[in-house]
Amino acid sequence: MPVIRRTAAAAAAAVALFATATACGPQDDKVAAPGSSAAADHRGGGEAGADAGGSGLPSGLPTSLDDVKKWQKGGWKDWDQWAREASEFVNPVIKDLWNPSRMAEARDTPDVTTQNAGDAGGSDPEPRPVQARQVARPYHQHMAPIGKIMFDSPQGPMVCSGTVVEDPAHPGESNLVWTAGHCVHTGRSGGWMRNIVFVPSYNDEGLPMSQVGRAPAQEVAPYGVWWANWATTSGEWIDMGSTKSGNAGSAYDFAVLHVQPEGGGGKSLQETVGAALPVWFGAPSPDRVSGLQAFGYPAAPPYDGARMMNCPARPGRLTMAQGTPTMYRIGCTMTGGTSGGGWFTNYGGRTYLVSNSSIGSLNHTWLAGPHLGVEAKRVFMGISQKFA
């Protein structure tokens, strides 16, 4: 298991690419070396985060200081006017909304499963399940960039997972978090989630969930609560995605948040936690990767969301629909709540994020995540440049 401490991002040799000079090295014109792929406009994307004063917001969303105050006092609970479009995202900070008690109560998950995976062809046989295992504690000493994402939906508070990733516009000072598209937007049938926050190294000592609600805030959120003040996902996810079952949109089920600390402060998220993962766009296809590890906070039974888990596995290929990018698929018993959690592999002595948990099987024996190609990099660079 890779150990990513506050002071360094040490890669583990156990997670390595199956690479040869002719197969998937940096000189291969079909596989981009980390940080080398060029983004190209594919289509209108899902960048969000319009200023609160924007005139394009639907009626009922905060467009003035008075509106923001009403929103913070409970106006956000009105879902009749649900912001859907990329420019309609709003997420005003509500101080102390996500206290340890409410965090512990947020156990529902957007558990996106599928029954017809691979029917489009181009998929490998279903993998054998890999039993998830607990990550060493305290988390801030082992996997500091990983944390829990919490948000409100029309069905109530929900949870996902996320990873602090490097920002090329702000080396060493990133405020970017990688997660799944369905953790921030419901796709074709709805709109943006609300009160989206990221809590790095959530429940640092892995307390039982029965104790989390009564634990000191410092133990539950050792680096504080970070509110998303900007969000971006793919246009394909907004147009096609579903939080009910996997479909063609699952191949584009990724998102990036730009966050700020609830209490303010001068340090960036990366400086605060001490580490961030680079994203490898255009990484090798699943059949050319010998191993990776998926991390997250599974919250659906038999788990309860209290502990960080991971699955080490060799990925296979999964195609959800003809014409869509082939996804990574691994055997793994992690459940809902894992969504958005990073998938890591090692190349050249560094650990890279190459995917995120998107969908799983009905009986929770495998997980699948998108291959991060041109569209993913376009989405990522859009939010990076926004705050450059």
Side-chain angles (χ1 to χ4, degrees), residues 113-133:
T113 58
T114 184
Q115 191 168 11
N116 300 313
D119 288 354
S123 299
D124 292 321
E126 186 172 314
R128 294 180 179 179
V130 172
Q131 187 65 41
R133 60 192 189 186

Side-chain angles (χ1 to χ4, degrees), residues 96-105 150 212-213 217 220 225 262:
D96 297 327
L97 175 69
W98 291 106
N99 54 42
S101 177
R102 193 167 194 262
M103 289 182 188
E105 293 171 358
M150 303 179 192
V212 171
V220 179
V225 178
E262 178 173 293

Side-chain angles (χ1 to χ4, degrees), residues 196-223:
I196 302 171
V197 300
F198 176 66
V199 182
S201 296
Y202 170 79
N203 190 22
D204 197 28
E205 294 289 349
L207 297 174
M209 188 56 80
S210 60
Q211 299 179 23
V212 171
R214 303 188 303 273
Q218 181 60 32
E219 294 184 20
V220 179
Y223 297 120

Side-chain angles (χ1 to χ4, degrees), residues 143-158:
M143 296 303 295
I146 298 173
K148 205 167 189 176
I149 288 177
M150 303 179 192
F151 55 92
D152 281 298
S153 74
Q155 292 74 42
M158 290 191 170

Side-chain angles (χ1 to χ4, degrees), residues 200-285:
S201 296
Y202 170 79
N203 190 22
D204 197 28
E205 294 289 349
L207 297 174
M209 188 56 80
S210 60
Q211 299 179 23
V212 171
R214 303 188 303 273
Q218 181 60 32
E219 294 184 20
V220 179
Y223 297 120
V225 178
W226 295 71
W227 284 75
N229 60 352
W230 203 265
T232 178
T233 186
S234 67
E236 289 85 352
W237 174 258
I238 290 177
D239 290 345
M240 299 186 296
S242 169
T243 56
K244 302 298 182 182
S245 63
N247 64 8
S250 301
Y252 306 93
D253 186 13
F254 43 78
V256 188
L257 305 176
H258 185 277
V259 299
Q260 61 183 348
E262 178 173 293
K267 284 190 175 182
S268 68
L269 175 60
Q270 182 177 356
E271 290 173 299
T272 300
V273 305
L277 274 293
V279 182
W280 187 350
F281 298 101
S285 60

Side-chain angles (χ1 to χ4, degrees), residues 21-37:
T22 58
C24 58
Q27 303 305 316
D28 188 349
D29 60 0
K30 293 184 179 180
V31 177
S36 68
S37 62

Side-chain angles (χ1 to χ4, degrees), residues 60-62 65-81 92-95 97 102 152-153 194-195 227:
L61 293 182
L65 184 58
D66 287 342
D67 289 343
V68 169
K69 291 179 179 178
K70 293 177 182 178
W71 180 274
Q72 293 171 331
K73 292 180 179 179
W76 65 266
K77 297 177 183 178
D78 181 3
W79 292 90
D80 289 340
Q81 298 292 332
V93 173
I94 304 178
K95 186 174 175 56
L97 175 69
R102 193 167 194 262
D152 281 298
S153 74
R194 297 177 179 175
N195 302 325
W227 284 75

